[in-house]
Amino acid sequence: MPELPEVETTRRGIAPFVTGHVVERVVLRRKDLRWPIPRAISTQLPGQRVNAVARRAKYLLLHTTAGSALLHLGMSGSLRVVDPALAPGQHDHYDFVLDSGRALRFNDPRRFGCLLWQAPGEVHPLLQNLGPEPLNDDFDGDWLWHTSHGRSASVKSFLMDQSIVVGVGNIYASEVLFAAGVHPKRAAGAVSRTRYARIATEIRRILDRAISRGGTTLRDFIAPDGAPGYFEQELMVYDRSSQPCRICGTSIRSVVIGQRMAYWCPRCQH
DNA sequence: CGACACACCTGGATGC
DNA sequence: TGCATCCAGGTGTGTC
Protein backbone atom coordinates (compact mmCIF):
# COMPACT_ATOMS: atom_id res chain seq x y z
CA MET A 1 0.00 0.00 0.00
CA PRO A 2 2.02 2.87 1.23
CA GLU A 3 4.73 4.74 -0.58
CA LEU A 4 6.50 7.75 0.84
CA PRO A 5 3.49 10.11 0.78
CA GLU A 6 1.27 7.63 2.59
CA VAL A 7 3.94 6.91 5.21
CA GLU A 8 4.56 10.63 5.70
CA THR A 9 0.81 11.24 5.96
CA THR A 10 0.72 8.53 8.62
CA ARG A 11 3.68 10.07 10.46
CA ARG A 12 2.07 13.50 10.54
CA GLY A 13 -1.22 12.00 11.62
CA ILE A 14 0.12 10.09 14.61
CA ALA A 15 2.87 12.49 15.72
CA PRO A 16 0.61 14.88 17.70
CA PHE A 17 -0.86 11.95 19.66
CA VAL A 18 2.41 10.12 20.28
CA THR A 19 5.20 12.68 20.65
CA GLY A 20 5.97 13.42 24.30
CA HIS A 21 3.81 10.59 25.58
CA VAL A 22 4.87 7.51 27.54
CA VAL A 23 4.16 4.06 26.14
CA GLU A 24 2.59 2.47 29.21
CA ARG A 25 1.86 -0.91 27.71
CA VAL A 26 2.49 -2.87 24.54
CA VAL A 27 -0.19 -5.31 23.43
CA LEU A 28 1.03 -7.88 20.91
CA ARG A 29 -1.66 -10.09 19.42
CA ARG A 30 0.84 -12.01 17.27
CA LYS A 31 4.45 -12.93 17.84
CA ASP A 32 5.45 -12.09 14.30
CA LEU A 33 4.54 -10.03 11.26
CA ARG A 34 6.94 -10.27 8.35
CA TRP A 35 9.60 -11.11 10.93
CA PRO A 36 9.40 -12.10 14.59
CA ILE A 37 8.70 -9.13 16.85
CA PRO A 38 11.84 -8.79 19.00
CA ARG A 39 11.65 -9.14 22.77
CA ALA A 40 12.89 -5.58 23.21
CA ILE A 41 9.50 -4.30 22.05
CA SER A 42 7.99 -5.91 25.16
CA THR A 43 10.90 -5.41 27.55
CA GLN A 44 12.45 -2.06 26.56
CA LEU A 45 9.65 0.04 25.13
CA PRO A 46 7.09 0.04 27.98
CA GLY A 47 7.67 2.99 30.30
CA GLN A 48 9.57 4.96 27.69
CA ARG A 49 8.64 8.45 26.51
CA VAL A 50 8.51 8.95 22.75
CA ASN A 51 10.78 11.90 21.96
CA ALA A 52 10.02 12.05 18.25
CA VAL A 53 8.19 10.28 15.45
CA ALA A 54 10.55 10.17 12.49
CA ARG A 55 10.53 8.68 9.02
CA ARG A 56 13.39 7.18 7.02
CA ALA A 57 12.36 5.94 3.57
CA LYS A 58 9.09 4.06 4.14
CA TYR A 59 9.96 3.23 7.76
CA LEU A 60 8.60 5.05 10.80
CA LEU A 61 10.74 5.39 13.92
CA LEU A 62 9.43 6.08 17.40
CA HIS A 63 12.50 7.40 19.18
CA THR A 64 13.00 6.94 22.94
CA THR A 65 16.13 7.16 25.06
CA ALA A 66 16.12 3.35 25.40
CA GLY A 67 15.99 2.79 21.65
CA SER A 68 13.63 3.17 18.74
CA ALA A 69 10.66 1.16 17.56
CA LEU A 70 10.98 0.62 13.81
CA LEU A 71 7.67 0.26 11.97
CA HIS A 72 6.94 -0.61 8.36
CA LEU A 73 3.45 -0.70 6.87
CA GLY A 74 4.22 -3.21 4.12
CA MET A 75 1.57 -3.36 1.40
CA SER A 76 -1.58 -3.19 3.51
CA GLY A 77 -0.63 -1.78 6.91
CA SER A 78 -2.11 1.26 8.61
CA LEU A 79 -1.88 2.96 11.98
CA ARG A 80 -4.74 4.61 13.84
CA VAL A 81 -5.11 6.37 17.14
CA VAL A 82 -7.92 4.71 19.08
CA ASP A 83 -9.47 4.26 22.50
CA PRO A 84 -7.66 1.14 23.79
CA ALA A 85 -10.97 -0.21 25.06
CA LEU A 86 -12.22 -0.42 21.48
CA ALA A 87 -12.40 -4.10 20.56
CA PRO A 88 -9.60 -4.99 18.13
CA GLY A 89 -10.48 -6.16 14.64
CA GLN A 90 -9.23 -9.31 12.98
CA HIS A 91 -6.01 -7.78 11.65
CA ASP A 92 -5.23 -5.38 14.49
CA HIS A 93 -1.88 -6.90 15.40
CA TYR A 94 -0.52 -4.62 18.11
CA ASP A 95 -1.30 -1.58 20.27
CA PHE A 96 1.01 0.89 21.96
CA VAL A 97 -1.09 2.10 24.90
CA LEU A 98 -0.14 5.66 25.81
CA ASP A 99 -0.31 7.64 29.04
CA SER A 100 -2.86 9.91 27.35
CA GLY A 101 -5.43 7.14 27.54
CA ARG A 102 -5.22 6.56 23.81
CA ALA A 103 -3.52 3.79 21.86
CA LEU A 104 -1.63 3.57 18.61
CA ARG A 105 -3.10 0.53 16.85
CA PHE A 106 -1.57 -1.28 13.86
CA ASN A 107 -3.72 -3.08 11.30
CA ASP A 108 -2.27 -5.14 8.46
CA PRO A 109 -4.25 -7.86 6.67
CA ARG A 110 -1.35 -9.16 4.58
CA ARG A 111 1.24 -8.90 7.37
CA PHE A 112 4.02 -7.69 5.07
CA GLY A 113 4.67 -4.96 7.59
CA CYS A 114 7.11 -5.31 10.46
CA LEU A 115 7.80 -4.12 14.00
CA LEU A 116 11.47 -4.10 14.97
CA TRP A 117 13.81 -2.51 17.47
CA GLN A 118 16.85 -0.29 17.00
CA ALA A 119 19.23 0.14 19.93
CA PRO A 120 20.46 3.65 20.78
CA GLY A 121 23.28 4.79 18.54
CA GLU A 122 22.78 1.92 16.13
CA VAL A 123 21.42 1.90 12.62
CA HIS A 124 19.23 -1.08 11.94
CA PRO A 125 20.53 -3.29 9.08
CA LEU A 126 17.36 -2.61 7.10
CA LEU A 127 18.22 1.10 7.09
CA GLN A 128 21.87 0.72 6.12
CA ASN A 129 21.63 0.36 2.36
CA LEU A 130 19.07 3.06 1.60
CA GLY A 131 19.50 5.81 -0.97
CA PRO A 132 18.89 9.52 -0.35
CA GLU A 133 15.58 11.00 0.75
CA PRO A 134 14.05 12.51 -2.38
CA LEU A 135 12.79 15.58 -0.52
CA ASN A 136 16.23 16.36 0.96
CA ASP A 137 18.86 18.60 -0.60
CA ASP A 138 21.36 15.80 -1.21
CA PHE A 139 19.09 14.33 -3.88
CA ASP A 140 19.15 15.61 -7.44
CA GLY A 141 19.19 14.54 -11.07
CA ASP A 142 22.94 14.25 -11.20
CA TRP A 143 22.87 11.65 -8.45
CA LEU A 144 20.44 9.58 -10.53
CA TRP A 145 22.44 10.14 -13.68
CA HIS A 146 25.75 9.10 -12.13
CA THR A 147 24.21 6.09 -10.39
CA SER A 148 22.46 4.89 -13.54
CA HIS A 149 25.70 4.62 -15.51
CA GLY A 150 25.91 1.26 -17.27
CA ARG A 151 22.57 0.01 -15.97
CA SER A 152 20.52 -2.05 -18.37
CA ALA A 153 17.44 -2.51 -16.17
CA SER A 154 14.40 -0.34 -16.86
CA VAL A 155 14.31 3.20 -15.54
CA LYS A 156 11.08 2.34 -13.71
CA SER A 157 12.71 -0.49 -11.75
CA PHE A 158 15.71 1.80 -11.17
CA LEU A 159 13.55 4.51 -9.58
CA MET A 160 11.81 1.92 -7.40
CA ASP A 161 15.15 0.56 -6.10
CA GLN A 162 15.35 1.88 -2.52
CA SER A 163 19.16 1.84 -2.61
CA ILE A 164 19.03 4.42 -5.43
CA VAL A 165 16.39 6.76 -3.99
CA VAL A 166 13.88 5.92 -1.27
CA GLY A 167 10.14 6.34 -1.20
CA VAL A 168 9.18 5.90 -4.84
CA GLY A 169 6.94 2.85 -5.21
CA ASN A 170 4.79 1.46 -7.96
CA ILE A 171 2.23 4.26 -8.18
CA TYR A 172 4.59 7.21 -8.12
CA ALA A 173 7.17 5.59 -10.42
CA SER A 174 4.59 5.51 -13.21
CA GLU A 175 3.37 9.02 -12.37
CA VAL A 176 6.89 10.49 -12.31
CA LEU A 177 7.87 8.94 -15.64
CA PHE A 178 4.70 10.24 -17.25
CA ALA A 179 5.36 13.74 -15.94
CA ALA A 180 8.95 13.59 -17.18
CA GLY A 181 7.97 12.17 -20.59
CA VAL A 182 10.11 9.04 -20.22
CA HIS A 183 9.05 5.57 -21.32
CA PRO A 184 9.11 3.24 -18.26
CA LYS A 185 10.90 0.46 -20.15
CA ARG A 186 13.83 2.58 -21.24
CA ALA A 187 17.16 1.33 -19.86
CA ALA A 188 18.17 3.40 -16.82
CA GLY A 189 21.64 3.92 -18.30
CA ALA A 190 20.16 5.27 -21.54
CA VAL A 191 18.39 8.24 -19.94
CA SER A 192 20.16 11.57 -20.45
CA ARG A 193 21.51 13.83 -17.74
CA THR A 194 18.99 16.51 -18.71
CA ARG A 195 16.15 14.03 -18.49
CA TYR A 196 17.26 12.85 -15.06
CA ALA A 197 17.17 16.46 -13.89
CA ARG A 198 13.54 16.53 -15.00
CA ILE A 199 12.81 13.18 -13.33
CA ALA A 200 14.29 14.42 -10.04
CA THR A 201 12.20 17.59 -10.24
CA GLU A 202 9.05 15.57 -10.89
CA ILE A 203 9.79 13.17 -8.03
CA ARG A 204 9.93 16.11 -5.64
CA ARG A 205 6.90 17.84 -7.08
CA ILE A 206 4.69 14.77 -7.20
CA LEU A 207 5.65 13.42 -3.77
CA ASP A 208 5.15 16.88 -2.25
CA ARG A 209 1.79 17.25 -3.91
CA ALA A 210 0.69 13.76 -2.87
CA ILE A 211 1.65 14.48 0.74
CA SER A 212 -0.38 17.69 0.67
CA ARG A 213 -3.36 15.68 -0.57
CA GLY A 214 -3.00 13.09 2.21
CA GLY A 215 -1.57 10.37 -0.04
CA THR A 216 -3.30 8.07 -2.51
CA THR A 217 -6.17 5.76 -1.58
CA LEU A 218 -6.82 3.09 -4.18
CA ARG A 219 -8.22 0.29 -2.09
CA ASP A 220 -7.61 0.52 1.59
CA PHE A 221 -5.15 3.22 2.60
CA ILE A 222 -6.46 5.39 5.43
CA ALA A 223 -4.76 8.12 7.41
CA PRO A 224 -4.64 7.75 11.20
CA ASP A 225 -7.78 9.89 11.49
CA GLY A 226 -9.65 7.60 9.11
CA ALA A 227 -9.50 9.99 6.14
CA PRO A 228 -8.67 8.66 2.67
CA GLY A 229 -5.92 10.17 0.51
CA TYR A 230 -7.11 12.50 -2.19
CA PHE A 231 -4.19 12.23 -4.61
CA GLU A 232 -6.01 9.41 -6.40
CA GLN A 233 -8.04 12.10 -8.14
CA GLU A 234 -4.84 13.51 -9.61
CA LEU A 235 -3.31 10.30 -10.94
CA MET A 236 -2.42 10.73 -14.60
CA VAL A 237 -1.66 7.13 -15.59
CA TYR A 238 -1.62 4.72 -12.64
CA ASP A 239 -4.50 2.22 -12.79
CA ARG A 240 -5.90 4.06 -15.84
CA SER A 241 -5.34 1.32 -18.42
CA SER A 242 -7.25 2.03 -21.69
CA GLN A 243 -8.58 5.34 -20.35
CA PRO A 244 -7.71 8.52 -22.28
CA CYS A 245 -4.52 10.38 -21.43
CA ARG A 246 -5.43 13.54 -19.55
CA ILE A 247 -3.01 15.49 -21.77
CA CYS A 248 -3.40 14.11 -25.30
CA GLY A 249 -6.35 11.73 -25.17
CA THR A 250 -4.37 8.68 -26.29
CA SER A 251 -5.37 5.42 -24.60
CA ILE A 252 -3.20 4.70 -21.55
CA ARG A 253 -1.36 1.40 -21.78
CA SER A 254 -0.01 -0.99 -19.21
CA VAL A 255 2.80 -3.53 -19.23
CA VAL A 256 4.48 -5.68 -16.62
CA ILE A 257 8.01 -4.52 -15.82
CA GLY A 258 9.99 -6.36 -13.16
CA GLN A 259 6.90 -8.25 -11.91
CA ARG A 260 5.01 -4.98 -11.34
CA MET A 261 2.40 -3.29 -13.52
CA ALA A 262 3.54 -0.09 -15.23
CA TYR A 263 1.24 2.46 -16.87
CA TRP A 264 2.21 4.97 -19.56
CA CYS A 265 0.99 7.10 -22.43
CA PRO A 266 2.46 5.95 -25.75
CA ARG A 267 2.26 9.47 -27.16
CA CYS A 268 3.57 11.53 -24.23
CA GLN A 269 6.41 9.20 -23.19
CA HIS A 270 9.53 8.18 -25.10
C1' DC B 1 28.30 -6.01 -8.34
C1' DG B 2 23.61 -6.20 -11.30
C1' DA B 3 19.39 -8.37 -12.92
C1' DC B 4 15.75 -11.18 -12.15
C1' DA B 5 12.33 -14.61 -10.19
C1' DC B 6 10.30 -15.82 -6.13
C1' DA B 7 8.61 -15.66 -1.60
C1' DC B 8 5.66 -13.96 2.14
C1' DC B 9 -0.17 -13.23 3.10
C1' DT B 10 -5.10 -11.93 2.84
C1' DG B 11 -9.06 -10.04 0.58
C1' DG B 12 -11.55 -8.04 -3.19
C1' DA B 13 -12.86 -8.27 -8.02
C1' DT B 14 -13.83 -11.06 -11.83
C1' DG B 15 -15.30 -15.00 -14.50
C1' DC B 16 -17.52 -19.41 -15.09
C1' DT C 1 -24.50 -18.93 -4.75
C1' DG C 2 -20.06 -21.18 -4.99
C1' DC C 3 -15.56 -21.75 -6.44
C1' DA C 4 -11.29 -20.89 -9.08
C1' DT C 5 -8.31 -17.43 -10.60
C1' DC C 6 -5.96 -13.19 -10.70
C1' DC C 7 -4.49 -9.00 -8.82
C1' DA C 8 -2.87 -5.58 -5.21
C1' DG C 9 0.58 0.47 -2.76
C1' DG C 10 6.83 -3.70 -0.52
C1' DT C 11 11.11 -5.75 -0.19
C1' DG C 12 14.50 -9.48 1.45
C1' DT C 13 16.53 -13.61 -0.40
C1' DG C 14 18.44 -16.76 -3.57
C1' DT C 15 20.30 -17.74 -8.12
C1' DC C 16 22.81 -16.83 -12.25
Side-chain angles (χ1 to χ4, degrees):
Chain A
M1 166 209 353
E3 302 183 36
L4 187 150
E6 292 73 39
V7 177
E8 180 61 20
T9 295
T10 298
R11 190 192 70 77
R12 294 181 186 186
I14 67 171
F17 298 96
V18 176
T19 308
H21 287 283
V22 172
V23 177
E24 290 191 330
R25 227 157 25 93
V26 173
V27 179
L28 301 180
R29 301 188 185 86
R30 304 184 54 87
K31 64 180 186 355
D32 50 42
L33 292 166
R34 182 173 184 181
W35 291 294
I37 296 168
R39 281 197 52 78
I41 293 291
S42 302
T43 60
Q44 303 278 94
L45 184 57
Q48 291 298 313
R49 188 177 303 277
V50 177
N51 301 317
V53 180
R55 179 187 60 73
R56 172 72 174 112
K58 300 173 192 172
Y59 293 89
L60 290 171
L61 294 117
L62 274 51
H63 291 305
T64 80
T65 55
S68 305
L70 184 61
L71 287 57
H72 197 289
L73 306 180
M75 288 277 266
S76 56
S78 61
L79 286 163
R80 298 192 67 175
V81 177
V82 301
D83 178 340
L86 182 67
Q90 185 185 0
H91 302 295
D92 288 334
H93 303 308
Y94 64 79
D95 291 353
F96 293 162
V97 182
L98 305 166
D99 62 358
S100 58
R102 286 188 263 240
L104 185 65
R105 179 168 286 177
F106 179 71
N107 181 280
D108 185 8
R110 294 177 72 179
R111 304 204 303 276
F112 288 172
C114 62
L115 173 58
L116 298 168
W117 184 255
Q118 178 176 269
E122 292 187 359
V123 177
H124 194 281
L126 291 176
L127 303 185
Q128 283 175 9
N129 194 32
L130 295 173
E133 288 287 332
L135 303 180
N136 287 359
D137 291 340
D138 60 343
F139 171 73
D140 61 17
D142 273 358
W143 161 258
L144 292 177
W145 181 64
H146 284 297
T147 313
S148 70
H149 181 74
R151 298 235 186 190
S152 62
S154 70
V155 63
K156 175 170 183 273
S157 298
F158 176 72
L159 294 180
M160 289 174 65
D161 183 337
Q162 303 299 295
S163 69
I164 305 300
V165 57
V166 303
V168 180
N170 204 39
I171 295 178
Y172 299 109
S174 281
E175 293 298 308
V176 163
L177 290 170
F178 172 82
V182 178
H183 193 292
K185 262 192 170 170
R186 171 173 296 225
V191 174
S192 73
R193 184 178 193 175
T194 307
R195 198 56 81 161
Y196 271 122
R198 178 71 186 278
I199 287 173
T201 300
E202 295 298 345
I203 288 174
R204 288 174 184 278
R205 183 184 67 79
I206 289 171
L207 295 183
D208 267 335
R209 175 66 182 169
I211 291 167
S212 76
R213 302 265 69 200
T216 299
T217 296
L218 286 171
R219 291 160 192 85
D220 53 11
F221 173 73
I222 50 164
D225 62 359
Y230 294 103
F231 193 73
E232 186 208 348
Q233 300 163 11
E234 301 181 27
L235 294 178
M236 300 296 276
V237 291
Y238 186 83
D239 207 23
R240 296 194 66 244
S241 216
S242 76
Q243 294 178 53
C245 173
R246 299 192 197 279
I247 300 298
C248 75
T250 303
S251 189
I252 298 299
R253 294 173 62 178
S254 60
V255 63
V256 175
I257 301 174
Q259 324 286 97
R260 312 299 299 279
M261 196 62 75
Y263 300 85
W264 91 103
C265 170
R267 181 159 172 196
C268 296
Q269 294 172 256
H270 305 280

